[in-house]
DNA sequence: GTTGATTACGAAAGCGCTTTCGGAATAACC
DNA sequence: GGTTATTCCGAAAGCGCTTTCGTAATCAAC
């Protein structure tokens, strides 16, 4: 477990430290023979450059940071683990490290980011959950610091990102619902400073428009990004005089909450009321009923993000690294053809009124 | 965004770099007055020590690594995000960083760990999902490298860990089930090289014993740690000649699979067959029916792990940092009193036979 | 065989901190 | 008022690498 340094290696080979270093870093002024000798000895003796020394000397960190979304809903982010796996995959191929940092309170957020980029700890940053206009992105842009965003802000022209086309997805979801005969489609959204919430709302509107329906503000509820949020929003919507017969939720988490709300009113999700979520949570298979959702192909998002960020750090133009993936409708059992609801609805109403 | 170094600070104050450094690091040989001047100037000018230089000079990394569990089941680890939040919380109070590394294929695992500890990148390690006898733990112990384990291996005397007493939990679950009248309790487990699987099996056995039942090997199935694994195991168990009337699952993920299996046989989970999981997944509220589970109080596990690891790095004796928490039975709707099953069971059997 | 180009390496100066060591200045002691 | 302690700071040597620069040694060219 004894560390072998470049000095040991040099002494062992009878050459200078500088030569060893240059041989290992593929400098052109090293003869093939010595380069060979050095590399062989290096991995025979198990030499690994001390990263701290290397960093100090070169100024490059050989690490990137992932800014985790804020400690969010009651049900913790199921994606994070998967994303991290992908990221570490991509980075480890170069021997780079992944730092995980938390996003702080919005006020400190920028300060924290500034510290991170001046600290020299990382040479790139992965941001997630961008806001519509995100000060962090502007900061990084201005600083000229390499970064990539998981998602997009509203103006996404001049930086790198990886996103799912959720606008298209929500528009398609509306199509689907209307093809099933639904005419009144509720929307359960999230605060639109989060750009993905805006995108999905846009998709919902676009879908309505494309199908000749007019957007009815009363049919949209902005809720918390949690099951409870979805539940509250759904019961709000269903208590209307002329309630929607289908509910489109910005998130699977909200959708399962909506499912609960529907059931709580004595209605059958999928038959009386259709509910569609977004994310493709694996757990959706097990809800009651199984949740129909727009599934995003996020299997390799982490890997992609990592590779793209590395390319940018290598000098690639950020604008050339923008990937937009499509989400697919994953039909399970929470959607179904429109049908008039009679008894249970009244039943519920009388319950409400007592 | 101009980096201000210790040199700038020293020049600005008209004192030597060494003095600045010692002032900032609370050396006793600095007068109160200069210390004050230095610290004030430091944060007025926004000085932050270059971590790489600091690391090189001191030899301490000011970072710890979290070894993520291997890319596991189809449903990605829901805990990871929460744990990371806690860990970063604990670390950030000192300004330390969190490195996330992946655990590799078992063969390379030890090599990777060796590299990690000799690299000097981190001064401590958080391990997760220990095996019954875990070579990684032995390696770290032998190397005298600070670490803490999320979970325990079978011999857990001389290192630090944070674990839930799942043996007690499973024993209590058996108690509960028997109090409900169940006499034949199936167990859906995981490969017992994973120590938590062993612990829970032990708890199951202990529970049976305490209640005067004998352990019946036919009633236990070892399955994959996924919903599908649980589903397969459950249908296996339910197809027996004399099937169990209750199913105890090593994991909530498996339990929701078991739920599906029960329903697939035309039986009603919670009435015909009781199913109990372990973990307290928030999603369990939304399964069909809502899943009864042994919930672990893992809200602050990350924070705890972080704090403990830091204490150990500071020189604390690892043996003094061992925390065992209790899991609580969280009753939802998937368990219920024993009742004889007649029609549906036969119904299913005939379906099977056709 | 002299000159100029080329190749291959050693020497040495950093990178930005920390930490030891020695000594000037001040304080304490009788 | 001389001596011993004490307080406080500067100088300088690293930490383990990288990278520039200079220069022997080899080669090519005539």
């Amino acid at each position: 477990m004894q560390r072998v340094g470049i000095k040991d290696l040099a002494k062992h080979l009878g050459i200078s430290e500088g030569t060893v270093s240059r041989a290992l870093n593929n400098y052109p002024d090293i003869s093939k023979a010595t380069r060979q000798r050095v590399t062989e000895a290096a991995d025979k003796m198990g030499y690994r450059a001390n990263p701290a020394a290397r960093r100090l000397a070169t100024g490059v960190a050989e690490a990137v940071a992932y800014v985790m979304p804020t400690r969010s809903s009651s049900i913790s982010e199921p994606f994070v683990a998967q994303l991290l796996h992908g990221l570490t995959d991509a980075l480890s191929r170069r021997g780079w490290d992944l730092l995980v940092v938390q996003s702080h309170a919005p006020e400190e957020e920028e300060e924290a980011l500034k510290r991170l980029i001046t600290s020299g700890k990382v040479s790139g940053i992965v941001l997630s959950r961008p806001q519509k206009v995100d000060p962090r992105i502007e900061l990084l842009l201005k600083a000229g610091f390499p970064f990539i965003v998981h998602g997009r802000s509203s103006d996404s022209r001049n930086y790198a990102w990886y996103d799912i086309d959720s606008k298209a997805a929500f528009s398609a979801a509306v199509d689907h619902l209307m093809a099933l005969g639904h005419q009144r489609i509720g929307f359960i959204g999230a605060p639109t400073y989060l750009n993905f919430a805006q995108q999905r709302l846009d998709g919902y509107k676009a879908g309505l428009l494309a199908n000749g329906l007019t957007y009815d503000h009363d049919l949209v509820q902005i809720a918390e990004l949690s099951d409870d949020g979805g539940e509250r929003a759904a019961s709000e919507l269903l208590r209307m005089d002329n309630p929607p017969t289908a509910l489109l939720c910005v998130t699977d988490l909200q959708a399962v909450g909506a499912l609960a709300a529907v059931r709580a009113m004595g209605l059958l999700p999928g038959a009386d009321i259709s509910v569609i979520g977004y994310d493709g949570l694996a757990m959706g298979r097990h809800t009651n009923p199984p949740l129909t959702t727009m599934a995003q192909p996020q299997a390799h998002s982490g890997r992609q993000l990592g590779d793209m960020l590395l390319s940018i750090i290598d000098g690639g133009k950020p604008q050339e690294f923008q990937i937009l993936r499509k989400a697919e409708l994953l039909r399970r059992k929470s959607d179904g053809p429109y049908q008039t609801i009679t008894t249970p609805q009244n039943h519920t109403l009388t319950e409400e009124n007592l």
Side-chain angles (χ1 to χ4, degrees), chain A:
Chain A
M1 208 73 81
Q2 199 52 277
R3 255 204 72 81
V4 19
I6 207 172
K7 198 183 301 185
D8 306 307
L9 204 50
K11 200 176 306 172
H12 175 77
L13 290 168
I15 60 183
S16 79
E17 299 180 30
T19 304
V20 172
S21 172
R22 284 186 321 247
L24 257 18
N25 293 312
N26 289 316
Y27 273 61
D29 64 343
I30 297 291
S31 74
K32 255 185 152 24
T34 37
R35 190 193 314 288
Q36 172 108 358
R37 270 180 12 102
V38 172
T39 49
E40 272 173 9
D43 62 55
K44 189 167 65 78
M45 299 178 64
Y47 167 77
R48 329 224 106 226
N50 174 327
R54 196 184 170 86
R55 266 165 223 202
L56 184 55
T58 62
V60 340
E62 306 200 333
V64 312
Y66 169 63
V67 183
M68 264 197 298
T70 335
R71 178 190 323 274
S72 47
S73 40
S74 52
I75 300 185
S76 56
E77 290 292 345
F79 308 125
V80 173
Q82 215 175 352
L83 196 83
L84 291 179
H85 272 122
L87 274 175
T88 51
D89 263 359
L91 295 173
S92 65
R93 304 181 62 205
R94 280 207 194 182
W96 282 37
D97 298 318
L98 180 65
L99 244 63
V100 170
V101 309
Q102 243 183 103
S103 89
H104 297 66
E107 318 84 62
E108 318 169 32
E109 186 95 20
E110 291 180 66
E111 251 332 293
L113 211 52
K114 262 186 209 163
R115 280 204 302 273
L116 185 59
I117 69 184
T118 55
S119 75
K121 286 179 192 166
V122 297
S123 17
I125 291 181
V126 180
L127 240 44
S128 56
R129 282 246 175 118
Q131 301 181 12
K132 219 184 304 185
V133 20
D134 198 310
R136 302 172 302 172
I137 293 178
E138 292 170 8
L139 176 69
L140 289 168
L141 235 26
K142 198 174 307 169
F145 198 83
F147 72 103
I148 188 165
V149 182
H150 192 200
R152 280 174 292 171
S153 59
S154 61
D155 179 2
S156 59
R157 284 166 303 176
N158 42 15
Y159 60 87
W161 45 261
Y162 176 102
D163 198 10
I164 311 291
D165 192 347
S166 50
K167 178 172 177 186
F170 271 74
S171 176
V174 172
D175 291 347
H176 172 69
L177 251 12
M178 293 201 58
L180 288 173
H182 295 277
Q183 294 287 326
R184 287 183 67 72
I185 302 175
F187 180 82
I188 299 181
T192 51
Y193 69 86
L194 290 169
N195 199 42
F196 78 85
Q198 180 69 59
Q199 291 168 338
R200 294 172 199 183
L201 179 57
D202 290 347
Y204 165 73
K205 287 183 186 173
L208 293 180
L209 202 68
N211 286 281
L213 252 53
T214 56
Y215 170 70
D216 178 355
H217 186 70
D218 293 341
L219 251 31
V220 350
Q221 281 279 334
I222 300 305
E224 209 177 272
L225 279 174
S226 67
D227 49 350
D228 289 335
E231 186 164 359
R232 279 192 293 269
S235 45
E236 201 68 42
L237 249 18
L238 294 176
R239 252 198 292 270
M240 292 173 59
D241 285 340
N242 186 9
T245 61
L247 261 23
L248 209 44
C249 305
V250 92
T251 270
D252 274 354
L253 232 51
Q254 291 186 338
V256 299
L259 252 28
V262 172
R263 290 195 312 265
M265 301 193 76
L267 298 172
L268 203 60
D272 299 325
I273 304 281
S274 288
V275 174
I276 297 189
Y278 180 96
D279 274 343
L281 273 200
M283 257 301 174
R285 285 176 53 195
H286 299 286
T287 56
N288 179 15
L291 183 66
T292 293
T293 180
M294 302 299 300
Q296 21 172 322
Q298 58 172 356
H300 300 105
S301 53
R303 178 60 185 276
Q304 293 248 20
L305 281 163
D307 285 337
M308 288 162 80
L309 181 53
L310 287 177
S311 301
I312 292 168
I313 294 173
D314 288 342
K317 286 183 111 56
Q319 301 87 330
E320 291 168 6
F321 297 92
Q322 304 180 329
I323 290 191
L324 190 60
R325 291 240 180 284
K326 293 234 165 301
E328 301 278 349
L329 180 69
L330 175 55
R331 273 196 92 175
R332 289 196 280 233
K333 299 290 177 202
S334 66
D335 65 316
Y338 167 74
Q339 61 187 61
T340 29
I341 318 165
T342 48
T343 343
Q345 171 79 1
N346 290 332
H347 175 61
T348 309
L349 284 174
T350 51
E351 265 193 351
E352 282 303 318
N353 300 344
L354 107 181

